[in-house]
Amino acid sequence: MEHFQNVCVVKILISGNPDPNALEACYRRGIFSAKEVSGFDEANIAASTFAGRVIRRFAEPYLQMVTNRRLLRCVREYEPDVVWVFKGKKVWPSTIRKIQSMGPLTVNYNADHPFHYCSRGTGNRNILRAAAFYDLHLTYSHQIADEIISRGLHAEMIPFGHSVDDKSYAALADTKEVLSIGFVGTPDARRARYIKELLAHGFVVDVYGDRWNRFLTSHKDLRIHGPVFGADMNCILRKHRVQLNLLRPHNAESHNMRSFEIPSCGGIMLAEDTREHRSFFDDPGSAFFFNTQDELFAKAKYLLDLPMEEAEKIRIRARAATTGCSYEARASAALECIAESIGRKRRRSGTRSTPDSRANLQFSNAESSRLQSCFDDDPSSAGELKSGERMTKLRLVYFQRKRRDGRNFSLEQIFEDVRFRVTSRYDTRVCVAPVVSNGLFRRLWIALAVAFQQGEINHVTGDITFAALFLKRKKTVLTLLDCAILERSRGLRRVLIWCLWFQLPVMRAQIVTVISEATREAVLKHVYCPPERIRVVPVAISEKFLPVERPFNSLKPRILQVGTAPNKNLENVIRSLAGLRCVLSVVGPIDSTIRRLIDEHDVEVESSEGLSQDALIQEYVNCDIVVFASTYEGFGMPILEANTVGRPVVTSNVTSMPEVAGDAACLVDPFDVESIRQGINRIIEDAAYRQELVISGFVNVKRFQPDRIAVQYAEIYHEITSSRVA
């Protein structure tokens, strides 16, 4: 705190949720004793009633406009030194840039993940688009901080904390203990699976939260309660003998708010084992962790069977472990980070970098030159700018689907890096479909809704290709991922799909991009389109995938299969492994038919679903071989992901997979079980061939680096704008 006093900062404006139990309120109370703090409460319409949901659905743009105008007015009137935005779901990127032009340091604290979100409540396009424009990001996770820094932004890690002072803790001492497992939190499918398994093994479980009845059915050992907050929640965290802490996808490999709230109340925490959890609770008796379900069951039983005296000793040690972890201490650390950021800003030579320059992530020299050449005669940069005049950017809008619950978000990931790499020249925005693509009327609604969100360049990023129907043709780029849905349809359904998903959208696009040469050939086969209008732009490999060395287990290799959809050919993969000593790790849901096939061929299988990207990367790291013997693919990302991590790949010799793999995979016939088996056996038995595939993989992925893909899209966007000027 003393370091912060040396910086002439006396006013901090905190923007966020007005709820007194929200995280921003905890920080506001922690800072208030040292600095002059004012709060800006973002407009919040409750969605718990039908009227509230209707207002949120149809009036959200207007409400956001009102919120942003109020925030700018508040900044002008209050004249703060720092504007600190918590999460920022309602704060527009343009608002952040206007605030910066007024002088304050802009800070963002996101209790979730700024780039990846697993539900409506954890993020939106405002957060994603504004990330590049903050002077400082504060986050709870080292992993997230590293990702933010990798994007050319400044970030510091401040863990979560607690608000239970000594007086409040003493008041909890009289709480009557209940011998059961308690869980307080938002429901989701992954958490529900853990709770169902605990119930199946005879444990009594109490869950607290809203809408848990949508995920859990009645059970004699289950008690469902409503949400709890503040002092009531502290009492619940102390009340149950075991307090379960389950992470969500954006917290994977990290920690969450309960990580400190439970032990600060004297609760006995049983949490998922992560490196951060271990570093926070180095006293092994202050908290307990599990990696597998069996370990969860064993430790839960051990804790429930402890005598009350032993349990009380654990509660005391748990409270002691959170000393120095209060939100007042976290606020002090945050102020230190803010002070350093202000110091850096003032040490600059009388000028400050524009927000736009920070948004432009670094390219290699060659790619940077190519990208610049795309804009040398761009209409948006034509003419010399007068001193102090800012370049007007063309608005580039990406139209994306609304994700279904529990589905992956690989489609959204494809264009994330592209957006960040072209944002220095374009005002990039993301327009998410208002409803899930399901049924004719919903899809018509999507097409009509996006027509009112057009920019100077419109890019429909696959899956909702019908969204191009009412967009301006000369401004539209359409991306087609594959033709699988068309090729497996028959009759009237095929005619409708051909018309609404392919032929009409292609006619309404100036340029059509496809992700592989195989997809281009399929499109030309099924759709009338001049070949010169179709461009092949591959998918970029995520920069989160990195090489990780691992000794090959030739005695019992772990084989990874990503995906269980019909085209993933899991049935033939299982048949090919009959009699082989191995472990098949399957990512995706397994139905009863596949279960019977597994039992019939006596294959050892481990399955997982709903994985975060970090958890998926760990599956690649843990495996010895990746099998991707699909019968049809528009591209084949698992091939590149395995290449990048450094794992040998067995893939199919059909459609796009040979094109993506090059000479960096063992090609097999996906319709021939013996061919798949021979490919797997060759990798297991031939170490030299295995190493050759790994080395070739590292060379292969260079073709799919984000810099190269971003340049190809930048050239297409330039072509769209220059053709209109011509």
Side-chain angles (χ1 to χ4, degrees), residues 575-593:
R575 294 185 182 102
S576 72
L577 297 178
L580 286 181
R581 193 166 183 268
C582 65
V583 177
L584 177 62
S585 176
V586 178
V587 176
I590 296 179
D591 59 25
S592 57
T593 303

Side-chain angles (χ1 to χ4, degrees), residues 9 30 58 160 182 305 314 341 344 351 361 392 434 480 482 562 646 681 695 711 723:
V9 178
F58 294 102
F160 289 121
D305 291 343
I314 294 175
S341 292
R344 280 194 303 271
T351 60
L361 302 189
T392 301
L480 296 176
D482 57 49
V562 179
N681 270 328
I695 294 172
V711 166
S723 65

Side-chain angles (χ1 to χ4, degrees), residues 73-87:
R73 185 168 63 248
C74 187
V75 172
R76 283 191 290 266
E77 293 174 356
Y78 186 61
E79 296 183 347
D81 299 286
V82 177
V83 175
W84 187 347
V85 177
F86 276 78
K87 190 169 281 192

Side-chain angles (χ1 to χ4, degrees), residues 307-355:
M308 186 174 293
E309 296 78 12
E310 293 298 319
E312 189 59 31
K313 292 178 182 178
I314 294 175
R315 295 183 186 280
I316 294 171
R317 295 170 74 174
R319 171 65 181 180
T322 61
T323 302
C325 300
S326 68
Y327 276 115
E328 185 173 350
R330 301 304 193 212
S332 176
L335 293 178
E336 294 288 340
C337 297
I338 292 172
E340 292 175 4
S341 292
I342 291 176
R344 280 194 303 271
K345 186 175 178 181
R346 291 183 176 178
R347 285 193 296 271
R348 293 171 185 164
S349 57
T351 60
R352 56 183 288 170
S353 300
T354 66

Side-chain angles (χ1 to χ4, degrees), residues 521-723:
E521 293 174 4
V523 170
L524 289 173
K525 174 184 175 183
H526 295 292
V527 178
Y528 171 74
C529 180
E532 63 273 11
R533 282 177 48 208
I534 302 179
R535 315 293 170 79
V536 177
V537 183
V539 177
I541 182 69
S542 170
E543 293 177 314
K544 295 185 73 173
F545 285 85
L546 298 170
V548 179
E549 291 188 16
R550 183 180 189 272
F552 188 85
N553 184 355
S554 57
L555 298 178
K556 191 178 182 181
R558 185 178 183 86
I559 299 173
L560 177 63
Q561 161 90 20
V562 179
T564 58
N567 65 299
K568 302 302 179 183
N569 203 23
L570 180 56
E571 295 92 336
N572 278 353
V573 171
I574 292 171
R575 294 185 182 102
S576 72
L577 297 178
L580 286 181
R581 193 166 183 268
C582 65
V583 177
L584 177 62
S585 176
V586 178
V587 176
I590 296 179
D591 59 25
S592 57
T593 303
I594 297 296
R595 290 285 181 194
R596 286 195 296 270
L597 194 64
I598 291 170
D599 295 338
E600 179 185 338
H601 291 86
D602 194 24
V603 178
E604 184 177 346
V605 174
E606 296 178 6
S607 65
S608 56
E609 56 181 295
L611 298 183
S612 65
Q613 189 180 36
D614 292 332
L616 177 62
I617 292 172
Q618 194 59 45
E619 288 292 333
Y620 280 99
V621 171
N622 293 340
C623 77
D624 297 291
I625 302 172
V626 174
V627 173
F628 193 65
S630 299
T631 56
Y632 184 97
E633 290 290 339
F635 190 74
M637 281 304 297
I639 299 170
L640 298 183
E641 291 165 350
N643 285 168
T644 306
V645 176
R647 300 296 179 265
V649 187
V650 175
T651 193
S652 303
N653 59 4
V654 297
T655 64
S656 64
M657 288 164 281
E659 175 188 345
V660 174
D663 58 359
C666 176
L667 300 181
V668 299
D669 181 352
F671 304 100
D672 184 350
V673 172
E674 187 57 33
S675 176
I676 300 172
R677 184 182 181 89
Q678 288 176 1
I680 294 171
N681 270 328
R682 183 180 180 188
I683 289 178
I684 295 173
E685 297 169 1
D686 191 338
Y689 177 64
R690 187 168 65 235
Q691 186 62 22
E692 179 185 337
L693 291 180
V694 171
I695 294 172
S696 298
F698 292 143
V699 176
N700 186 47
V701 294
K702 292 180 180 179
R703 297 188 291 147
F704 305 95
Q705 293 305 306
D707 289 350
R708 292 191 174 193
I709 307 308
V711 166
Q712 293 180 58
Y713 276 114
E715 291 171 342
I716 289 171
Y717 300 150
H718 170 64
E719 185 176 341
I720 290 285
T721 56
S722 60
S723 65

